[in-house]
Amino acid sequence: MQSLDLCGAWRIRWSDGVRGRLEYANREVTDDSRYIDAVVPGEVHLDLWRAGLIADPYVGANALAARWVEECLWAYRREFDVSREMLKGHTRSWLVFEGLDLFATIFLNGVEIGRHGNSFHPCRVEVTGKLHKGNNVLSVHLDGGLWGVSDKPSEGYLMSPDQRLHKRHWLRKPQCQFGWDWSTRLINVGIHRPVRLEWTAGPARMDQVAPLVTYSLETGRGTVRVRAVVEGLAEGARKGRLVVEVVEAGRSAAAECEVRPGMNVCEASVEVDHPDLWWPVGHGEQALYTVKTSLIVDGKVIGQDERRVGFRHVRFNQGPHPKSGRYFTLKVNGRPIFCKGGNFVPADMIFARLDRERYQSLIDLALEANFNFLRVWGGGLYESDDFYDLCDRRGILVWQEFIFACGRYPVTDEAFNASVQAEAVYNIRRLANHPSLIAWCGNNENEVGAWHWGYDKKGVILPDYALYHLILPRLLKVEDPTRYYQPTSPFSPGVGDPNRDDVGDQHPWTVGFLNTDFRDYRKMISRFPNEGGILGPTSLPTMLAALGPEAAQQRINSFTWQVHDNSVEAWGEPSPTDGMIMQWLGKEIRAMSVEDFVYWGGLLQGEGLREYIDNFRRRMFDSASAIFWMFNDCWPATRSWTIVDYYLRRTPAFWAVKRAMAPIHLVVVEDGDAVAIFGINETELSVSGELRYGVFNLSGEYPLDFHLPVTIPANSSREIAGFSRDQWEDVKGSMAFAVLTREGRMTARNRLISPFFKDLRWPAMTVEDIRMTRSGGAVTLKADRFVWGVCLDLNGETPLADNVFDLYPGQAYSMAWPGADDPRILRVGNLGS
C-alpha cells in the first residue's frame, strides 16, 4: 500500500443557506477571494480564530459570540497531483479521512463520491477510476450537526430544552460539545484528523489489526491472538499467511488463511511462557512487548503492523459480601487493586487541539496526585492512541465508556443503529492491544435515568436498552472477549436499582449538588464509587483569564463569570453552590474578591474531596475505589469539579486529593461510640512505625495524647487504634488527630473535624505566627496553635511538595523546598483571624 499525505494547507468557504454557495468549491476554477486559509487536521473555529474572524473562544463571552459558526455550512477544498504510476494497471485507490465532524459530503473533481456522518470512526471512499492524471480537486462539505438532523424528531428524546435546537441524541460526536454543567456549547465542525490518498495493485489490503492478550495465573502462560481484518481486492480467493512475532519474547507463529473478495478476518496466535507482567502503577513494572504482524498473500508481503501489548490477568470479583450485597473488587494478576483517580473528560472543547504533549502533561499530573485509575466518561471521546499509550507506559488503569450519556438514543432507527455498530467495532479493535484498558461500559447513567429520572415514563420509551444489553456485548464477544463489560454506569446487576450502594459501581450524588454537607460521605458504603464530587474554583490565573480583560467583569457573578460557571449554580436562588460557602465558612461569596474565592472555595472543595476519598479508602476492599468527578477540564471555568484546570494548572483542591491518595495514609473517623484510626498501606510490604493520636485543642493543648507502635499489613486498610468518643469533649474547640512517624520522619497524618468549620472556636492566627527554618533542601514550618490551610501558591503552575496544608499545634511540618528563596505564605484559613 502506498499513500499520499493530504494534510496541511486547505481552504474553506462558508454558507448560511442564503449567502455563499458550497457547490462552487467543487469547481476546477473558483473565486479564491471567497476562501479562508485552513489547516487539516483542524477545525473551523481554529481557522477563523487565526484569521481574526472570531476572538479567542476560551475567554470572556467569546464562545457565545462564535455560535454563528455552528449554524453555518462549510466547504473544505484542496488540489493535489496524481502521477501516471498511481493510475496504471489494476491499481485500486481510496481517499481516507481519519475523522470528519460531522455530516460530510465528499466531492472529487466535481462528482460526489461519498457521505459520512460519524466523527468516531474513519471514512474510506474508493476512488478507483475517478482520479485524473495531474491536477485533482477535492472538496468536503461539512455540517457540524444542526442541519443534518433538522428533519429528525426531538420530542420524545428530550432531556433539556436545548435539545430541541441541537438534537444531540442523533449526533455521533462528543456529547459534551452541546454543553454540560461544566462546559459551554461549542459545536465543532471540521476535518479533525489526517487525510490521505492510498493506492495499491496488490490482491489485498490489511485494515485494522487487533492483538488480544490473555494470561493464565495457573500456568503462567500468555497468549497473543492477533485478529487482522483484511480486504480481498482480487476477483477470486487467494491464499494468505498471517505471521505474528512477539519480539522481546523471541516467539512467533503463523497461520494460513483464505482471502476472499471483500472483508475477511485472519487470525494467528503466539504463546509466551512466563512473560514479564504488566502492573498498575504502585504495584509493579509496566512490562510491554512488541507484536509485529505481517500479511503475506500470493507470496508477497501485503501489509505490516507493529504495536505494544502487555500481559496481565484482570478480573472483577463480584462475589457475595459477608454483610450485604456483593464485592466489586478489581484484581490484576491475582492481587486486589484499590482504584484511585478521577473521571477523564475531553481535554479541550475543540478536539482537534488535543495532542500527545497535552495528554503527557495530564498523565503526569494524575500520577503526581497519586492516581492509578481514570474513568473515560461516556459523554466525551473514545480516547486517542496517545492517551492509551501513555497510560500503558505509566501504569494508569482505564475504564472506557461507549459514547452515550444522560439521554435516550434512537437505536431503533436503522441507519443510526448501523452507524453506532460501525463506531463500536472500529474502536474495540483500535484499543484492543492496550493493557491499561481494563473495562468497557455501555453508557453513562442512561439506566439510572430510567429508574429515577423518568426516562421510562415519557417520550420514546427505552429506545436504546438493547444496544447496551444485547448489541454491544455481542460485538465484544466477537471482537474482544478478553475484557470486562457492563451495560451502564452505575450498574447493580440482578438487584433492580442500578445505583444500589452494596452491589456493582455507584455514583454517590446524594452529596455534591443540592446537599453540600460532605460529612455525609462518612456514612457511605459504596462498593465501587466512580463518580461523585464537590464544586470549587480553578487556579487564580485561569479564573482571571476566563473572565476576560475588562475590569468590570473580573468579579464574582459578573456576566462572563456566569458564562464560565458551572450550571449547577443555577439550580436554585439563592444558588446552592454559593450557599456552600456560607454553610461551611459563614462567608458571603458575593462579598469576596476573585482571589478570596479561589482560596476559600478551593480550601473547601479540598476538604470535601478528602472526605470522599478518606471514607472509601478506609473501607478497602469493602469499598474498592475512590474515583471522583472529575479530574480535568475542557475549557477555563470559574467553578468546576476538577483538580486540574483547562490550562493544566493545579487547583487549590489538588493538594488535598494528593495527600488523601498517598500510598500510606491515615483516616480518623467517628465509628459509633468510638473514634477509630485507620491505617492504609497500598505498598507491597508491611509498614511499621509509631502512631501518635488523640485530640488537640486548636489553641495548642493536647487533652488526649497517645503513642503506640503499629504495623499496617501490605495492601490493606486496618483499624490500628482508637479511643472512646466520650473522651473527646470539646468538639468545637478541638480536633481528633493521628500522625504516623517512621524512623523519626512523619509518613502520614490526618485529623477529624466534627462541626461546620464556621462553628469552631478558631484561635487568632497570622502568617507572622508561623516559624520557618531552612535546611538541606527542605523547609520546616511550626506554630504553637493549629493553622488551617497554609497557602503558598494560588497559581497552580509549580510542582510543590505540598500546598494548602495544616500545621498541628507544636508539631513541625517539613517538606522539600529546593528553591533559593524562602516560601511565601499567602494565606491561612483560621476563620476570624
Side-chain angles (χ1 to χ4, degrees):
M1 182 70 69
Q2 299 181 74
S3 65
L4 174 67
D5 185 1
L6 296 179
C7 296
W10 286 58
R11 302 276 277 164
I12 56 173
R13 64 186 295 160
W14 71 291
S15 171
D16 63 3
V18 177
R19 292 166 181 81
R21 294 290 185 270
L22 300 191
E23 61 269 25
Y24 294 164
N26 310 338
R27 295 177 171 183
E28 184 175 359
V29 178
T30 187
D31 183 354
D32 191 62
S33 68
R34 296 183 180 273
Y35 290 80
I36 302 161
D37 288 336
V39 175
V40 172
E43 197 274 340
V44 169
H45 289 87
L46 299 178
D47 299 322
L48 298 174
W49 185 6
R50 278 188 292 266
L53 296 173
I54 64 170
D56 182 346
Y58 300 86
V59 170
N62 294 339
L64 301 182
R67 284 191 175 169
W68 64 270
V69 179
E70 67 195 38
E71 297 170 3
C72 290
L73 299 167
W74 299 89
Y76 278 75
R77 173 191 168 93
R78 74 156 291 162
E79 301 178 23
F80 62 96
D81 286 335
V82 169
S83 66
R84 184 185 300 274
E85 181 74 16
M86 295 161 60
L87 301 174
K88 71 178 184 180
H90 300 288
T91 300
R92 300 272 293 272
S93 51
W94 301 263
L95 281 166
V96 182
F97 299 84
E98 293 289 343
L100 293 167
D101 196 354
L102 176 62
F103 292 113
T105 307
I106 305 161
F107 296 85
L108 179 64
N109 298 320
V111 176
E112 180 181 329
I113 57 171
R115 296 189 177 207
H116 194 68
N118 192 315
S119 71
F120 294 131
H121 68 87
C123 172
R124 174 180 288 272
V125 182
E126 184 162 5
V127 292
T128 304
K130 299 173 183 176
L131 294 166
H132 297 169
K133 179 179 177 296
N135 189 61
N136 289 258
V137 176
L138 174 61
S139 63
V140 182
H141 300 190
L142 279 170
D143 155 31
L146 299 184
W147 294 67
V149 293
S150 60
D151 61 337
K152 300 292 186 182
S154 58
E155 297 303 323
Y157 295 97
L158 295 178
M159 301 297 109
S160 57
D162 60 307
Q163 282 189 252
R164 287 190 174 89
L165 170 66
H166 54 67
K167 303 178 186 178
R168 70 170 175 87
H169 48 283
W170 287 99
L171 302 175
R172 297 314 300 149
K173 60 193 300 182
Q175 299 292 275
C176 58
Q177 277 190 18
F178 305 97
W180 225 263
D181 64 284
W182 40 269
S183 174
T184 191
R185 188 181 86 228
L186 192 136
I187 301 176
N188 288 198
V189 55
I191 303 176
H192 66 279
R193 293 185 59 77
V195 183
R196 64 185 178 275
L197 175 68
E198 291 184 350
W199 68 95
T200 182
R205 69 170 189 88
M206 192 159 69
D207 197 81
Q208 287 185 277
V209 175
L212 303 175
V213 179
T214 56
Y215 174 75
S216 169
L217 292 175
E218 290 74 23
T219 66
R221 176 171 292 173
T223 301
V224 181
R225 176 168 69 98
V226 173
R227 301 181 77 247
V229 181
V230 179
E231 183 178 8
L233 304 177
E235 290 185 0
R238 299 295 179 93
K239 290 183 178 180
R241 182 176 176 83
L242 193 68
V243 181
V244 177
E245 178 187 6
V246 182
V247 176
E248 292 80 0
R251 301 282 295 167
S252 62
E256 306 297 322
C257 59
E258 187 176 58
V259 179
R260 296 178 175 273
M263 304 306 289
N264 305 261
V265 175
C266 301
E267 294 192 7
S269 296
V270 177
E271 293 186 342
V272 179
D273 289 328
H274 306 292
D276 294 334
L277 298 183
W278 185 95
W279 288 93
V281 62
H283 293 271
E285 298 299 315
Q286 290 75 54
L288 295 172
Y289 287 78
T290 305
V291 174
K292 292 184 176 180
T293 303
S294 299
L295 174 67
I296 301 167
V297 179
D298 292 347
K300 295 181 180 180
V301 176
I302 296 299
Q304 294 180 312
D305 181 86
E306 180 177 312
R307 56 195 65 218
R308 305 275 274 172
V309 303
F311 292 94
R312 79 283 187 274
H313 182 275
V314 175
R315 174 175 173 259
F316 280 92
N317 171 24
Q318 298 190 66
H321 189 279
K323 291 187 177 179
S324 69
R326 297 197 289 274
Y327 287 100
F328 195 95
T329 305
L330 173 65
K331 288 189 173 183
V332 178
N333 304 328
R335 181 184 303 167
I337 305 294
F338 189 90
C339 299
K340 305 178 301 181
N343 280 257
F344 195 89
V345 302
D348 205 297
M349 68 175 179
I350 301 179
F351 307 110
R353 301 187 84 189
L354 295 170
D355 58 19
R356 189 178 182 90
E357 182 180 2
R358 188 166 182 83
Y359 284 120
Q360 177 74 67
S361 296
L362 285 163
I363 297 302
D364 287 346
L365 286 161
L367 291 168
E368 184 183 339
N370 291 309
F371 283 23
N372 64 13
F373 192 102
L374 290 169
R375 173 186 178 237
V376 181
W377 169 73
L381 292 165
Y382 300 96
E383 274 302 343
S384 74
D385 296 325
D386 284 332
F387 171 85
Y388 273 99
D389 178 62
L390 290 164
C391 290
D392 292 345
R393 294 170 184 268
R394 307 298 294 281
I396 296 288
L397 299 161
V398 182
W399 168 301
Q400 172 74 60
E401 296 187 344
F402 291 95
I403 307 304
F404 304 92
C406 299
R408 288 173 288 192
Y409 291 86
V411 179
T412 54
D413 180 270
E414 185 175 353
F416 186 91
N417 189 309
S419 179
V420 298
Q421 289 201 51
E423 161 194 323
V425 168
Y426 171 77
N427 284 288
I428 293 166
R429 291 171 177 172
R430 178 175 68 87
L431 299 178
N433 66 293
H434 293 289
S436 57
L437 175 59
I438 51 92
W440 279 101
C441 176
N443 68 74
N444 172 75
E445 296 187 341
N446 291 357
E447 198 150 320
V448 80
W451 275 82
H452 296 291
W453 306 336
Y455 289 14
D456 63 326
K457 293 183 173 65
K458 55 187 178 181
V460 182
I461 306 301
L462 303 179
D464 48 2
Y465 186 85
L467 174 64
Y468 316 124
H469 289 266
L470 178 66
I471 296 171
L472 291 175
R474 278 182 174 174
L475 292 177
L476 281 159
K477 185 176 181 180
V478 172
E479 300 293 343
D480 184 0
T482 69
R483 286 179 169 86
Y484 173 79
Y485 170 80
Q486 68 179 46
T488 185
S489 179
F491 184 57
S492 302
V495 297
D497 186 344
N499 202 26
R500 188 169 131 174
D501 241 3
D502 60 353
V503 178
D505 67 319
Q506 292 77 34
H507 295 189
W509 280 116
T510 53
V511 175
F513 293 140
L514 299 181
N515 174 20
T516 53
D517 186 351
F518 42 72
R519 293 173 300 182
D520 288 349
Y521 285 136
R522 300 172 186 176
K523 309 167 190 174
M524 294 182 181
I525 64 163
S526 305
R527 296 289 180 237
F528 197 85
N530 57 10
E531 185 183 314
I534 295 290
L535 282 165
T538 53
S539 68
L540 181 58
T542 294
M543 184 84 74
L544 296 174
L547 295 176
E550 295 181 17
Q553 294 300 319
Q554 293 196 344
R555 59 176 178 83
I556 291 171
N557 213 42
S558 69
F559 182 77
T560 58
W561 173 285
Q562 294 172 56
V563 170
H564 289 260
D565 201 356
N566 191 281
S567 71
V568 174
E569 176 274 334
W571 285 17
E573 288 190 6
S575 161
T577 49
D578 288 357
M580 183 171 69
I581 303 293
M582 179 61 71
Q583 174 189 29
W584 279 96
L585 302 176
K587 291 179 176 287
E588 171 54 60
I589 186 174
R590 305 292 173 85
M592 291 181 176
S593 68
V594 172
E595 183 173 336
D596 288 340
F597 175 68
V598 170
Y599 173 70
W600 289 110
L603 183 58
L604 197 55
Q605 183 189 25
E607 292 285 354
L609 291 175
R610 179 189 60 79
E611 291 279 8
Y612 181 94
I613 296 162
D614 280 359
N615 175 64
F616 298 122
R617 288 196 73 194
R618 65 109 171 170
R619 299 176 189 273
M620 172 187 181
F621 285 96
D622 294 325
S623 297
S625 72
I627 301 161
F628 66 91
W629 183 265
M630 56 193 196
F631 171 54
N632 63 303
D633 265 325
C634 73
W635 87 314
T638 51
R639 188 159 30 192
S640 189
W641 306 100
T642 58
I643 63 166
V644 173
D645 67 32
Y646 172 73
Y647 292 113
L648 305 180
R649 299 179 177 119
R650 302 160 187 83
T651 74
F654 177 93
W655 310 98
V657 170
K658 176 183 176 180
R659 292 189 295 268
M661 290 194 175
I664 301 170
H665 188 50
L666 298 174
V667 175
V668 186
V669 64
E670 288 188 60
D671 189 5
D673 58 0
V675 175
I677 316 298
F678 284 81
I680 299 155
N681 173 21
E682 291 178 357
T683 71
E684 297 180 58
L685 302 173
S686 63
V687 169
S688 297
E690 180 176 287
L691 183 72
R692 181 184 182 187
Y693 67 100
V695 172
F696 61 69
N697 293 335
L698 303 185
S699 56
E701 303 81 16
Y702 282 77
L704 291 178
D705 198 358
F706 305 107
H707 295 258
L708 181 71
V710 296
T711 297
I712 311 171
N715 202 32
S716 72
S717 171
R718 293 288 187 276
E719 185 176 343
I720 55 176
F723 55 89
S724 170
R725 176 64 178 79
D726 292 341
Q727 294 176 274
W728 184 12
E729 297 177 350
D730 181 14
V731 295
K732 291 191 175 182
S734 62
M735 299 179 186
F737 79 98
V739 180
L740 178 67
T741 57
R742 302 171 68 202
E743 300 178 352
R745 298 175 64 88
M746 192 275 288
T747 300
R749 64 178 188 160
N750 212 334
R751 40 56 171 181
L752 174 65
I753 301 173
S754 183
F756 288 118
F757 305 138
K758 67 182 180 182
D759 295 330
L760 290 168
R761 293 195 309 276
W762 290 96
M765 178 60 62
T766 66
V767 169
E768 288 72 25
D769 293 321
I770 299 172
R771 302 185 293 280
M772 185 185 304
T773 58
R774 297 284 303 275
S775 178
V779 63
T780 299
L781 300 95
K782 192 173 183 180
D784 296 329
R785 299 179 293 279
F786 176 77
V787 187
W788 184 36
V790 178
C791 178
L792 307 179
D793 175 75
L794 288 173
N795 291 344
E797 296 173 352
T798 304
L800 303 175
D802 204 359
N803 191 20
V804 198
F805 53 85
D806 300 339
L807 297 179
Y808 295 2
Q811 297 188 34
Y813 183 70
S814 297
M815 55 185 280
W817 191 267
D821 297 330
D822 288 347
R824 186 167 72 92
I825 299 174
L826 303 179
R827 290 173 179 254
V828 298
N830 291 35
L831 294 167
S833 295

